Amino acid sequence: DLVWIPSVETMYPDGFATTVSVAGVSETFDGAARPGHFDGVATVVGKLFNQVRPDTAYFGEKDFQQLAVIRRMVSDLDMGIDIVGVPTQREDDGLALSSRNIYLDEEERAKATALPRALGVAARSIGRGDDVEAALSDARATLSAAGFTIDYVALADAETLAENPDADRPRRLLAAARMGSTRLIDNIAIEMPES
């Protein structure tokens, strides 16, 4: 095994002045909540790819927008790297593993399981062909009742992250919500109807 751990000076030498910006896919959801965040992600990941020159790179699906940004960058810049999404790792009760979970107190941690449950119910409903807006509204109501403050619950195209995607394309249900002062994100794929 080999680990590449470049220094700050290697990554950002004196006079460093270049930023990689991936339009479209980076602008909604977390990109709207954190302007410039995905420019930083694309820049550092692009530099790491140039330094290491991998054939394949693996990124967790938990931060699905980040994964979409990296896939778009690699495609647009002809980097020739296979980007593989790794399924979200979850606690036994379904909550996505995250370093942010340590900021939840015991009561908040118990209530936080409403996030994956609400997304699962909505995803199954949408996958069956039920009304999308009703499913999203139900998910939002479930999260609010559990004590979440909702940033967004939305259905998006799994590649472009455009909202209101066609049902014949891969889709992703995305959510960000705060439990107390802790902001949690999660997402789930919508199963494609069998043809």
Side-chain angles (χ1 to χ4, degrees):
D1 295 336
L2 178 67
V3 178
W4 172 241
I5 307 175
S7 66
V8 172
E9 294 75 23
T10 298
M11 293 302 292
Y12 305 106
D14 284 345
F16 182 81
T18 302
T19 301
V20 178
S21 180
V22 182
V25 71
S26 70
E27 296 167 359
T28 58
F29 308 121
D30 277 13
R34 303 168 69 189
H37 170 71
F38 289 116
D39 292 352
V41 169
T43 301
V44 72
V45 171
K47 284 182 63 77
L48 289 169
F49 284 168
N50 284 333
Q51 292 166 355
V52 176
R53 302 191 188 275
D55 296 313
T56 306
Y58 299 83
F59 290 84
E61 291 181 347
K62 180 177 164 291
D63 192 335
F64 197 79
Q65 188 168 16
Q66 175 177 277
L67 175 60
V69 167
I70 291 166
R71 283 179 168 153
R72 179 83 269 153
M73 176 185 72
V74 165
S75 175
D76 288 353
L77 298 181
D78 303 315
M79 291 180 162
I81 302 168
D82 185 24
I83 304 299
V84 177
V86 178
T88 300
Q89 300 298 299
R90 297 186 179 277
E91 303 277 3
D92 291 341
D93 59 10
L95 188 65
L97 286 176
S98 172
S99 58
R100 296 175 185 177
N101 294 351
I102 65 169
Y103 299 112
L104 299 167
D105 66 28
E106 190 174 331
E107 182 182 351
E108 290 170 338
R109 174 63 184 77
K111 291 178 179 179
T113 59
L115 181 57
R117 284 197 318 270
L119 291 183
V121 169
R124 287 188 294 277
S125 177
I126 293 167
R128 285 192 305 266
D130 296 347
D131 182 74
V132 170
E133 284 309 314
L136 296 177
S137 180
D138 288 348
R140 291 180 191 113
T142 298
L143 294 177
S144 292
F148 276 103
T149 301
I150 299 165
D151 286 357
Y152 59 82
V153 175
L155 181 65
D157 183 288
E159 179 183 344
T160 67
L161 295 191
E163 292 190 69
N164 305 310
D166 294 334
D168 60 349
R169 288 183 47 83
R171 299 173 293 169
R172 205 84 184 187
L173 186 58
L174 306 163
R178 295 180 188 279
M179 176 59 70
S181 61
T182 306
R183 187 174 187 271
L184 301 177
I185 61 172
D186 205 344
N187 68 86
I188 189 168
I190 304 297
E191 296 296 325
M192 297 290 286
E194 295 186 24
S195 45

